[in-house]
Amino acid sequence: MSVDIYWRIGTHGDQPSLRRRTASRGGWAPVVPGSLAPGVRDGERDGYSYVEHMGDVARASEISGFVGGLLPSFPNTDDPWATAATLAGETTTYRFMIAFQPGFLHPVQAARMTASLQRATGGRVVYNVISGGGGPDQLWWGDRVDHDDRYARTSEFLDVLRGVWDGGPFDFDGRFYQVERAGLPPALRGQPFPEIYFSGSSGAAIEAAGRHADYYLSWLEPFHALAEKFERVRAASDRDPRFAVRIDVLARETEEEAWDEIRRGWENIDPSVLRDATGDSIGWQRSRSFVTGRITDHRDLEVTPNVWGGFHLLRGGPAFGLVGSYEQVAQRLDELIGLGVGAFILAGVPHLEEAYRVGERVLPLLRGHDLRIESPLLEGTLS
Amino acid sequence: MARFLITLPIGGDGGRGPRPDFPGFVTDLRRAFGPSDHLAQAGRAAEIAGFGGAFVPFDPEGEESLVVAAGLLRRSRWTRLTAGFHPGVATPVYAAKVTASLQRFSADRLDWWLDVDLDPAVARAQGDFLQGADRYARAEEFLTVAKGVWSEEGYTYEGRFYQVLAGGFTPPLSGHRFPAVHLSGTSPEAYALSARHADVHVFDPDDDIEAAPLPGVAYGVRLPVLARDDESEAWEAARRLWTAGGQAAGTLPDPDPRTRLWHGFPRRAADGPGGRSRSYGPGLVGSFETVAAGIRDYIDRGVGVFFLEATPYIEETYRLGERLLPLLAKERTHVR
């Protein structure tokens, strides 16, 4: 089975580089001279909006060889359904991986939106089903269902969604959802059911993922920890699960060049951002737990070769990513394929330029898991 | 003064039938295209023909309206899109969140038509078991919360149906125009909800508009029209519409002499999932001048927003834009 490689879209703007956290493309930070913010021109609204830039990232991803992109969803992001439906007509092969929490939408409505979007795109919708997160954000959304119950709700949601997909009539009387004689109308039936990327690191998440996920999606962690997590998912699954990893990549011609880019960002970190994030996401807590001890230098966060745990300090999001030469990053991705990873969601800041770089320079170097690259080759050329 | 919107075909095939194959010897470069392409054309027609907007109704047998509206907003610069949905589709926070992005992407051109009083069987098939007055109570909370998170940072709400703690949008999601809210219905509960939340209350053509107790709310009407160069051509087209629906030509109804409404327009009426019963509703038939006069009657009765509907959609949208709207130039307001 071939490996699907996605790229991320910053639905919450994008920094021009990892060197400075303050600036953002698209009006998500105060617009100052030099801010690229489609929608504002000379201080006035100009009829464009941030979706123009997201469309450019989608087309760059498509051109660079990514199969599609993840559209994240948080309180202060643009909405992935709105974005996908808006950009559907101006991409051709791009798969929209829509992040959403099942509790916010009714499953019948989700089925209808998905089927219409499948018809508009020729079947290019992919789900990233989120159930964790939580903390104060969950009440911002108006959701009071607690952490473990949210996975039970997700299971019901997907049961109803699948139940109506082929037309029904489908009856369901659950804890969270009830329907009677439900089903997609004839015109909307027969579309491919989206692949499901399922996130979550807790026991409840892994249990639910075993039932519903096509791909079990994890943030990057040190590889031994990922391998253990995959084993837990395998143990909880009836079928052979597939794995996907969401990874920030900072790849340059040479290793030194890559670390120098990190160093420049490190020197600009505001100490106040080092505080802990809130939320009951187990994934976030796991990311933090690998970074211990006194940190005096950015390389202290390189917990295993090329795996750096400080990305959250340079931009919003998870902690771990890959830093290194094009060859090194490709080799690490190969190693992950060797651990059973069948799909990647890569990301790099800024997303548009880095999509071209990673597509042109890293992806062609991938060899898959059956061919180990010997490290002396790299040491000879890089150090 | 009046605004004119055209109703879009969402009922499955984009308003057109299947496309027959060409004979083998005819060069055929048609790519595989689908209903979304027809919808895109219909939406473009509304923009080109000068309509102030287009209406994507909630139709349980058709496409999902917000997805359709998003695609059409992207393909237009001026047209406002009114998307129909019911309050059970999502939490009000999520409905507002999706809408906030669409307002950002479209320069504030999305409006809402909330279908509160669905047929009970349709509602249950959509996962909604609320009945009677509770539906209006829920819609009231839905709109209160949606407007609350839209305009207030740190918004908190504790209701029967919804709760929010420290919610509310922040820049740049905040600060956009809340969609104009369209509501309908002639029950006391419907009027009470409209009095609190509607920007436009939309009537059926033969409703008793004068009886509505809604000072300060704009009135709309959802109005099928069939207009041609002269009366005989219009009625010939009406006869074809009637018989195409399986009715015998001899049973062609006459227009109501008092209201001028012809009760022969096929109406999409869902009678539960998977089935659709054919019923007929009222609308205006006649020459362009006759139909324009009928519209002026509504304007005189206080109606300011017209959701016109005519099939086939693309061709009729052009026809109405070129021939009917110019007759109403004096009455017509441009949206912007």
Side-chain angles (χ1 to χ4, degrees):
Chain A
M1 183 172 288
S2 68
V3 174
D4 289 346
I5 305 179
Y6 290 81
W7 190 251
R8 178 181 181 271
I9 288 186
T11 47
H12 173 57
D14 197 5
Q15 294 170 215
S17 86
L18 284 177
R19 296 180 186 185
R20 282 171 299 279
R21 273 197 84 152
T22 49
S24 172
R25 293 176 177 174
W28 296 91
V31 176
V32 297
S35 298
L36 299 189
V40 181
R41 197 168 299 257
D42 300 330
E44 303 285 325
R45 278 198 199 173
D46 67 0
Y48 286 107
S49 79
Y50 182 62
V51 80
E52 310 295 336
H53 180 64
M54 291 197 283
D56 287 343
V57 175
R59 285 183 292 267
S61 308
E62 207 168 43
I63 290 166
S64 304
F66 297 96
V67 300
L70 169 64
L71 285 63
S73 173
F74 294 100
N76 207 33
T77 62
D78 273 312
D79 177 71
W81 293 99
T83 305
T86 299
L87 296 177
E90 52 202 69
T91 49
T92 51
T93 59
Y94 190 87
R95 299 183 201 157
F96 294 92
M97 188 186 288
I98 296 174
F100 66 99
Q101 295 209 32
F104 307 164
L105 270 177
H106 195 280
V108 175
Q109 170 71 0
R112 286 169 47 78
M113 288 170 74
T114 304
S116 277
L117 209 40
Q118 291 293 56
R119 281 152 62 84
T121 60
R124 292 190 275 124
V125 176
V126 178
Y127 288 159
N128 174 24
V129 174
I130 313 163
S131 307
D137 276 4
Q138 214 59 27
L139 295 165
W140 183 96
W141 290 106
D143 185 17
R144 289 204 162 164
V145 174
D146 73 17
H147 182 278
D148 284 6
D149 269 357
R150 288 207 295 273
Y151 286 95
R153 179 175 65 187
T154 292
S155 284
E156 277 195 14
F157 179 95
L158 291 170
D159 285 340
V160 174
L161 188 47
R162 285 190 192 277
V164 301
W165 190 259
D166 293 323
F170 176 73
D171 292 337
F172 189 86
D173 188 11
R175 271 177 68 202
F176 300 94
Y177 302 108
Q178 300 82 39
V179 293
E180 181 184 303
R181 298 186 62 75
L184 284 180
L188 299 189
R189 286 175 207 161
Q191 297 297 315
F193 193 84
E195 283 187 328
I196 298 176
Y197 283 66
F198 208 98
S199 309
S201 294
S202 66
I206 286 173
E207 196 271 329
R211 285 185 52 209
H212 291 288
D214 292 301
Y215 288 89
Y216 175 80
L217 174 62
S218 175
W219 285 344
L220 182 66
E221 295 181 1
F223 292 5
H224 65 277
L226 269 184
E228 286 166 17
K229 201 197 240 185
F230 293 170
E231 277 315 308
R232 286 198 289 132
V233 176
R234 284 194 183 99
S237 301
D238 305 334
R239 51 199 173 136
D240 198 19
R242 285 176 286 176
F243 298 98
V245 189
R246 149 90 175 79
I247 307 176
D248 266 64
V249 168
L250 196 150
R252 292 292 182 270
E253 194 74 47
T254 66
E255 183 180 7
E256 289 74 18
E257 219 184 312
W259 286 111
D260 194 53
E261 192 64 30
I262 294 290
R263 180 188 59 75
R264 284 166 173 275
W266 183 263
E267 287 168 356
N268 287 329
I269 291 174
D270 174 352
S272 72
V273 305
L274 290 162
R275 68 174 181 271
D276 282 344
T278 53
D280 60 0
S281 162
I282 307 283
W284 177 259
Q285 291 165 19
R286 277 179 71 87
S287 282
R288 299 285 301 170
S289 69
F290 291 102
V291 184
T292 54
R294 196 171 148 75
I295 296 158
T296 55
D297 179 78
H298 61 284
R299 291 295 286 262
D300 292 344
L301 295 177
E302 187 183 11
V303 293
T304 59
N306 305 111
V307 176
W308 192 62
F311 274 95
H312 61 296
L313 303 172
L314 303 186
R315 53 102 186 93
F320 286 105
L322 295 176
V323 179
S325 68
Y326 299 134
E327 288 83 356
Q328 286 172 325
V329 168
Q331 187 181 346
R332 296 294 167 256
L333 296 176
D334 280 335
E335 288 168 7
L336 289 170
I337 294 170
L339 291 179
V341 173
F344 293 100
I345 300 164
L346 303 182
V349 173
H351 285 73
L352 189 144
E353 294 93 322
E354 291 295 313
Y356 278 102
R357 183 198 299 274
V358 174
E360 287 169 353
R361 304 302 303 272
V362 177
L363 301 193
L365 301 177
L366 291 174
R367 303 184 186 188
H369 64 279
D370 53 358
L371 182 61
R372 284 301 300 258
I373 308 162
E374 292 303 321
S375 54
L377 176 72
L378 296 169
E379 284 166 7
T381 54
L382 297 178
S383 55
Chain B
M1 301 306 276
R3 292 202 291 125
F4 295 93
L5 298 90
I6 195 76
T7 305
L8 292 171
I10 56 158
D13 60 4
R16 312 197 82 84
R19 295 191 311 160
D21 289 337
F22 291 164
F25 58 87
V26 175
T27 307
D28 187 354
L29 298 180
R30 296 179 300 180
R31 63 185 177 88
F33 79 134
S36 302
D37 300 276
H38 286 310
L39 267 170
Q41 279 273 291
R44 295 282 301 170
E47 171 125 325
I48 301 293
F51 279 88
F55 171 42
V56 193
F58 168 70
D59 181 348
E61 300 296 298
E63 303 281 355
E64 202 287 317
S65 64
L66 288 164
V67 168
V68 170
L72 297 183
L73 285 167
R74 183 61 173 167
R75 292 172 159 107
S76 58
R77 294 181 190 171
W78 299 99
T79 312
R80 278 168 69 158
L81 268 294
T82 304
F85 56 92
H86 62 90
V89 296
T91 65
V93 178
Y94 201 67
K97 185 79 160 30
V98 173
T99 299
S101 280
L102 292 177
Q103 296 298 52
R104 279 162 51 71
F105 300 165
S106 70
D108 294 345
R109 290 187 287 122
L110 181 70
D111 294 318
W112 284 5
W113 177 314
L114 217 51
D115 275 301
V116 177
D117 197 19
L118 296 181
D119 174 271
V122 172
R124 289 195 296 274
Q126 303 289 320
D128 181 8
F129 287 70
L130 275 188
Q131 301 255 7
D134 276 353
R135 289 192 200 174
Y136 286 93
R138 195 237 338 242
E140 155 74 30
E141 285 197 15
F142 184 95
L143 287 165
T144 299
V145 172
K147 290 175 177 176
V149 296
W150 191 272
S151 56
E152 209 178 303
E153 275 186 43
Y155 178 78
T156 294
Y157 183 86
E158 183 71 46
R160 256 179 82 197
F161 301 95
Y162 306 111
Q163 299 86 38
V164 179
L165 183 63
F169 301 161
T170 51
L173 290 178
S174 59
H176 284 263
R177 181 181 69 84
F178 191 81
V181 175
H182 298 71
L183 293 165
S184 59
T186 51
S187 67
E189 293 87 357
Y191 285 140
L193 181 67
S194 274
R196 284 181 54 80
H197 284 294
D199 295 286
V200 182
H201 189 89
V202 187
F203 295 92
D204 286 334
D206 48 7
D207 281 346
D208 185 358
I209 297 170
E210 286 77 3
L214 292 172
V217 176
Y219 288 178
V221 65
R222 194 172 173 180
L223 186 64
V225 293
L226 200 170
R228 293 291 184 271
D229 270 341
D230 55 42
E231 299 295 327
S232 65
E233 199 184 349
W235 285 106
E236 175 58 23
R239 190 187 60 77
R240 279 200 301 274
L241 191 63
W242 182 250
T243 55
Q247 301 289 335
T251 63
L252 186 76
D254 287 324
D256 184 315
R258 191 177 53 83
T259 63
R260 307 197 219 183
L261 291 168
W262 181 62
H263 287 250
F265 284 95
R267 191 150 59 177
R268 289 189 170 277
D271 68 357
R276 200 191 266 293
S277 67
R278 199 164 261 287
S279 70
Y280 296 86
L284 292 173
V285 178
S287 67
F288 294 114
E289 288 77 10
T290 300
V291 171
I295 285 173
R296 273 189 215 100
D297 287 346
Y298 279 107
I299 293 173
D300 292 342
R301 295 168 66 195
V303 173
V305 188
F306 291 84
F307 293 89
L308 302 183
E309 180 161 14
T311 56
Y313 292 85
I314 295 166
E315 295 89 332
E316 288 296 317
T317 299
Y318 273 93
R319 189 197 303 271
L320 296 174
E322 287 174 334
R323 304 298 307 281
L324 179 70
L325 295 189
L327 299 178
L328 296 159
K330 267 199 302 208
E331 290 83 1
R332 187 170 158 219
T333 48
H334 285 278
V335 181
R336 287 172 180 273

